[in-house]
Amino acid sequence: MDEDDFSFLFEIAKGQLRRHLVVANGVDMHSLEAVVMAVKMGIVTVTITGDEKLIVASCQKLNFESDAYQIIHCKTEVEAAEKAVEMVRSGKANLIMKGLISTDLFMKAILNKEKGILPPGTLLTHVTLLKNPMYHKPLLISDVAIIPLPDLYQKKQITTYLIEAAHRLGIQQPRVAFIAATEKVTSKMPATIDAQALKEMWENGEFAPSFCDGPMALDVALDKGSAEIKNIHSEVAGNADCLLFPNIEAGNVFYKTNTKLSKVTIAAIVMGTTVPTVLSSRGDTTKTKLNSIALAAMLG
């Protein structure tokens, strides 16, 4: 597996204590291939829940030794998800990953008020690390998959997650752009008002070491030339490490434009749960799943 694009991420993940990952209903070959690679690279140890016959069969097709990993037999997807969450709650696993199971069933187990792994009052959000060859460094972005229209309080929490992830990547003072369609604050665009409020929070010292600015259009956040043309002078402009999107439409369109029209490298996790959660999609490549495991291990 070529890890050159995210070599920095794997270096950090390998340098930490090896985490124990539990894969909920890990019966599919794509998930298993990524998991086995992560084990061989020394990033994680693994437990797999699900139908044992299907897991063994998938391992055989991949020429992997299934007895090298702990397998917990479960009759159904629901049981597999519940068992994986139970392992996290009991401290037997400190990372969790979605295997071949619907997102609804997986999230239902995670969000269960009595047996789940989302602490009361905590925000669940999706954080993506991407590396686009057209930009000079990796980007952390949120939220592109979970929160449709975050309010100001939720945006504050997401900003905290982005800064935390950036710090773990070794960025001492990450530059966070609060994205909107314009730099002008106007009541006609609520995103600009929230961005201004978030910037004021940063100016008042409410965020960890960072540079935060907004509202800021995407071109200004990522391109120094655009910032110069607009006569915008900022530590963030043209050099953002993190992008906070105003709503899921903006974030999701940015994410999919990158994945479909550019040779982008991706890693993605869910933050807010008691341990990092790899919410992999059936359409994700093995490389993306492996990258996401490394990101989760780094944050775990």
Side-chain angles (χ1 to χ4, degrees), residues 117-119 122-125 161 270-275:
I117 55 173
L118 182 69
T122 303
L123 181 72
L124 193 74
T125 193
Y161 288 146
V270 170
M271 296 182 69
T273 44
T274 56
V275 300

Side-chain angles (χ1 to χ4, degrees), residues 1 3 10 14 18-19 32-46 59 62-66 68-69 290 293:
M1 173 63 64
E3 60 179 82
F10 285 92
K14 291 175 185 177
R18 189 180 294 200
R19 311 297 183 183
L32 289 173
E33 187 174 19
V35 164
V36 171
M37 289 177 178
V39 170
K40 289 182 177 179
M41 294 171 71
I43 297 173
V44 294
T45 56
V46 175
C59 286
L62 293 166
N63 293 318
F64 295 149
E65 296 293 334
S66 59
Y69 313 100
L290 176 60
I293 293 171

Side-chain angles (χ1 to χ4, degrees), residues 121-258:
T122 303
L123 181 72
L124 193 74
T125 193
H126 189 273
V127 174
T128 301
L129 175 68
L130 64 84
K131 193 169 188 298
N132 188 311
M134 299 301 292
Y135 192 59
H136 61 281
K137 59 182 175 179
L139 273 170
L140 284 160
I141 65 172
S142 190
D143 182 309
V144 306
I146 293 179
I147 307 174
L149 186 63
D151 59 25
L152 181 59
Y153 176 72
Q154 290 171 324
K155 288 177 180 177
K156 180 181 177 181
Q157 288 184 288
I158 297 170
T159 301
T160 299
Y161 288 146
L162 286 169
I163 294 171
E164 176 188 345
H167 284 165
R168 298 294 289 273
L169 284 168
I171 305 170
Q172 293 183 354
Q173 285 190 291
R175 294 166 170 82
V176 184
F178 304 127
I179 300 299
T182 177
E183 289 74 39
K184 182 179 179 181
V185 179
T186 169
S187 60
K188 294 180 180 180
M189 296 184 185
T192 64
I193 297 174
D194 283 355
Q196 182 185 46
L198 290 166
K199 181 179 179 179
E200 290 174 356
M201 291 179 193
W202 170 73
E203 291 173 336
N204 291 329
E206 292 195 39
F207 296 122
S210 61
F211 296 106
C212 297
D213 205 352
M216 188 170 285
L218 187 64
D219 59 337
V220 172
L222 302 180
D223 180 53
K224 286 186 178 297
S226 296
E228 290 172 0
I229 290 171
K230 292 185 177 182
N231 198 31
I232 294 173
H233 304 285
S234 164
E235 283 286 345
V236 178
N239 198 27
D241 297 293
C242 309
L243 305 179
L244 174 71
F245 286 100
N247 53 52
I248 201 169
E249 287 94 344
N252 194 264
V253 168
F254 179 82
Y255 175 90
K256 289 181 178 175
T257 299
N258 273 270

Side-chain angles (χ1 to χ4, degrees), residues 58-112:
S58 292
C59 286
Q60 288 175 342
K61 290 179 182 178
L62 293 166
N63 293 318
F64 295 149
E65 296 293 334
S66 59
D67 56 1
Y69 313 100
Q70 181 185 15
I71 298 174
I72 298 178
H73 176 68
C74 298
K75 295 179 181 179
T76 66
E77 293 181 8
V78 171
E79 183 184 351
E82 291 175 347
K83 185 61 182 178
V85 169
E86 180 186 322
M87 285 192 65
V88 171
R89 286 180 61 88
S90 65
K92 295 178 181 177
N94 39 34
L95 304 173
I96 186 170
M97 176 177 174
K98 171 182 168 293
L100 189 63
I101 178 174
S102 73
T103 298
D104 288 346
L105 290 178
F106 181 67
M107 295 304 292
K108 184 176 181 180
I110 283 177
L111 299 176
N112 185 289

